[in-house]
Amino acid sequence: MTSTPSSTRPEKKATVTVRLATAEDANNEVVLGQIHSVINRAYRSEGGWTTEAHLVKEERISMNGLKQALVDKINPILLAFDSETHEALGTLQLEPAEFYPDFGVYSKDGYKCDYVEQLPKDKQILFGLFSVDPAQQSRGIGRKLVEAGLVYVKETLGRSQAIVYVIMQRPELVGWYKRLGFTDYGEKVPFPDAGLLKDDDIHFSVLRLAL
């Protein structure tokens, strides 16, 4: 058998590792800066698949806000890194539903949802602050973050349902979560800070996944 010359072998992509954020991340200026950049470019720059730049004003999170979030024991954050360069690639925050703020009821134009969730709040978890470096898309980073989050909240936190709030004006994101197994029961909630919006009717679709 003839071996393949090394020059023609496909380039091996570096793997992506996912782990919980630590206090060391919050105190490391380089890592902190990378994470801050990833989040705000993902949400507030043009071209990123999670971007809200055309819908929402101001940065997604401040540097001080990020420092606090990285050491939050109630709402832990998963971080994705490139295994070779060790650069930050993405984030996912795990937020217990019983502590999550109530955004109210969406009722514009008489909208009403018949679905009522029966599962106790302390069995639900919300996935928030989900970001992937726009320059590193198509590496499966987002899927790895979500899959790692699902395993962690089920096996470590004892949760039995994951929830995501997706801006209704981003149907491609709704579709992406559905491909991961999330279900849209027609629930909607208002955007919590109307002063940041660039449009009068921006709201969230609520998607759920049983674990």
Side-chain angles (χ1 to χ4, degrees):
M1 180 180 294
T2 304
S3 61
T4 303
S6 59
S7 60
T8 63
R9 289 174 183 164
E11 183 180 352
K12 181 181 178 181
K13 288 186 177 181
T15 58
V16 176
T17 58
V18 177
R19 64 165 175 80
L20 285 171
T22 66
E24 285 74 16
D25 297 314
N27 294 322
N28 185 318
E29 293 299 325
V30 173
V31 174
L32 184 68
Q34 289 178 358
I35 299 169
H36 183 259
S37 175
V38 166
I39 294 171
N40 284 296
R41 283 188 293 113
Y43 280 95
R44 298 295 185 261
S45 67
E46 300 295 339
W49 64 280
T50 57
T51 185
E52 302 168 348
H54 58 303
L55 302 171
V56 185
K57 298 179 288 186
E58 300 185 8
E59 65 179 358
R60 177 62 176 81
I61 192 169
S62 67
M63 191 70 81
N64 285 335
L66 178 58
K67 282 185 177 182
Q68 295 174 17
L70 290 172
V71 296
D72 188 339
K73 300 299 184 183
I74 295 177
N75 306 286
I77 293 180
L78 290 174
L79 301 174
F81 291 91
D82 185 292
S83 62
E84 291 186 357
T85 66
H86 307 295
E87 289 188 44
L89 301 175
T91 64
L92 178 67
Q93 190 164 32
L94 313 173
E95 307 176 65
E98 65 268 32
F99 302 122
Y100 202 75
D102 185 353
F103 291 171
V105 177
Y106 181 83
S107 59
K108 187 168 183 177
D109 297 327
Y111 183 83
K112 183 179 180 181
C113 178
D114 294 328
Y115 179 83
V116 178
E117 178 56 55
Q118 300 297 326
L119 192 68
K121 290 282 189 181
D122 61 4
K123 291 297 183 181
Q124 305 172 34
I125 197 92
L126 284 101
F127 283 3
L129 203 63
F130 179 46
S131 68
V132 173
D133 186 339
Q136 299 291 335
Q137 293 176 11
S138 301
R139 289 182 59 181
I141 298 167
R143 177 180 286 271
K144 284 192 174 184
L145 278 165
V146 171
E147 290 178 345
L150 293 174
V151 171
Y152 183 80
V153 300
K154 180 179 181 180
E155 297 183 357
T156 303
L157 302 184
R159 303 283 163 152
S160 53
Q161 185 184 84
I163 305 169
V164 291
Y165 285 10
V166 185
I167 286 185
M168 186 64 179
Q169 285 77 1
R170 296 299 309 277
E172 67 275 24
L173 279 181
V174 173
W176 185 81
Y177 279 110
K178 285 182 176 179
R179 290 193 293 275
L180 290 181
F182 285 82
T183 300
D184 183 356
Y185 294 102
E187 298 172 271
K188 297 181 182 181
V189 295
F191 193 89
D193 192 344
L196 296 178
L197 299 180
K198 297 180 179 180
D199 189 292
D200 291 336
D201 186 26
I202 294 176
H203 55 277
F204 294 109
S205 286
V206 181
L207 283 70
R208 299 177 183 270
L209 173 62
L211 304 177

